[in-house]
Amino acid sequence: MRDNGLGLAFLLAFLGALVGQAFAGRAEFNSQLAVDGLAQVGFWQYVSSSDFAVDVTENWQSEYLQFFLYITATVWLLQRGSPESKKMGTAGTEGDKDQRVGPHAGPDSPSWARATGWRQGLFSRSLGLVMGGIFVLSWLAQSITGVAAYNEQRLRDLQAPVDWSQYVVSADFWARTLQNWQSEFLAIASMAVLSIYLRQRGSPESKPVGTSHTATGIEGG
């Protein structure tokens, strides 16, 4: 538990928040059903519904978009003074020696880092590829569950349902999507810039307290 405390703590926090969202979401959903004069739904009926699924997946896709963009953008983009940036003048994928791959790999390096060809190329980009893949899958899940939830509401209002291709260009879909994206972009920019001038003692996301504001790519331990 000591060696995996960070992952375990946030996994438990995730599960707690998800359960809390389910209870609060059901209460709000039933409140809307009452306004429409419809029957209430039970807890398990709600958590298996498209309404709950779309609320969950629209947040997942925005979070994984944030990680994907941050991981890939920081390869090339720098921010002077930020611990979230590489040091100035190091933009790019860096050389094999710096990345400890191929003949420069150590005895404790992953086997695919010591390999050559497609295995090394794939492993060298595996974090961005997985984060991007999860984003695409969660975006697809959001669009599928979203059109189901959207059509349920349209049927309650005695309107004709729409198909998936119509929904993904609709205002409802993009309002749900962009309201999450804008917050993620703001959070990334805030972290990159505020960490230039502010400190959190003991955090690896902050520079050491006494480090110069202009020091770049230096994190605490």
Side-chain angles (χ1 to χ4, degrees):
M1 290 183 67
R2 179 192 63 191
D3 291 347
N4 298 282
L6 186 61
L8 289 171
F10 278 97
L11 178 60
L12 290 174
F14 159 72
L15 293 174
L18 188 64
V19 171
Q21 178 188 351
F23 279 102
R26 173 178 173 260
E28 174 62 23
F29 187 65
N30 278 335
S31 176
Q32 185 58 53
L33 290 177
V35 171
D36 295 339
L38 300 172
Q40 307 284 284
V41 300
F43 178 78
W44 294 113
Q45 186 179 356
Y46 174 70
V47 296
S48 61
S49 70
S50 57
D51 290 85
F52 178 68
V54 70
D55 287 341
V56 171
T57 53
E58 75 179 43
N59 285 285
W60 287 4
Q61 60 90 4
S62 64
E63 294 297 337
Y64 281 101
L65 174 65
Q66 176 193 138
F67 286 130
F68 169 70
L69 291 178
Y70 204 52
I71 290 165
T72 55
T74 50
V75 175
W76 301 98
L77 302 180
L78 307 177
Q79 179 68 52
R80 184 179 296 277
S82 176
E84 301 299 312
S85 166
K86 296 192 293 185
K87 293 182 178 181
M88 304 306 293
T90 60
T93 55
E94 304 176 2
D96 288 354
K97 184 176 181 181
D98 293 324
Q99 289 292 311
R100 299 181 61 193
V101 297
H104 304 286
D108 59 342
S109 298
S111 59
W112 280 37
R114 294 194 296 270
T116 57
W118 69 270
R119 288 194 299 166
Q120 184 191 112
L122 180 62
F123 185 65
S124 297
R125 296 164 179 82
S126 56
L127 183 58
L129 288 171
V130 168
M131 290 296 184
I134 296 174
F135 160 68
V136 171
L137 290 174
S138 55
W139 180 90
L140 183 60
Q142 177 201 346
S143 69
I144 293 170
T145 56
V147 70
Y150 185 65
N151 280 333
E152 284 180 11
Q153 184 59 52
R154 288 181 65 86
L155 289 172
R156 289 187 205 128
D157 298 335
L158 304 178
Q159 295 177 308
V162 300
D163 61 27
W164 181 84
S165 62
Q166 292 173 303
Y167 179 68
V168 294
V169 295
S170 70
D172 181 84
F173 176 75
W174 285 106
R176 283 178 171 274
T177 299
L178 293 174
Q179 72 176 348
N180 285 284
W181 286 9
Q182 55 86 12
S183 64
E184 302 302 338
F185 298 151
L186 178 62
I188 292 174
S190 299
M191 185 62 184
V193 175
L194 292 177
S195 59
I196 298 172
Y197 305 103
L198 306 178
R199 309 286 189 271
Q200 183 63 51
R201 186 168 185 155
S203 174
E205 299 305 312
S206 166
K207 293 185 286 190
V209 177
T211 303
S212 166
H213 289 328
T214 59
T216 308
I218 298 174
E219 297 181 339

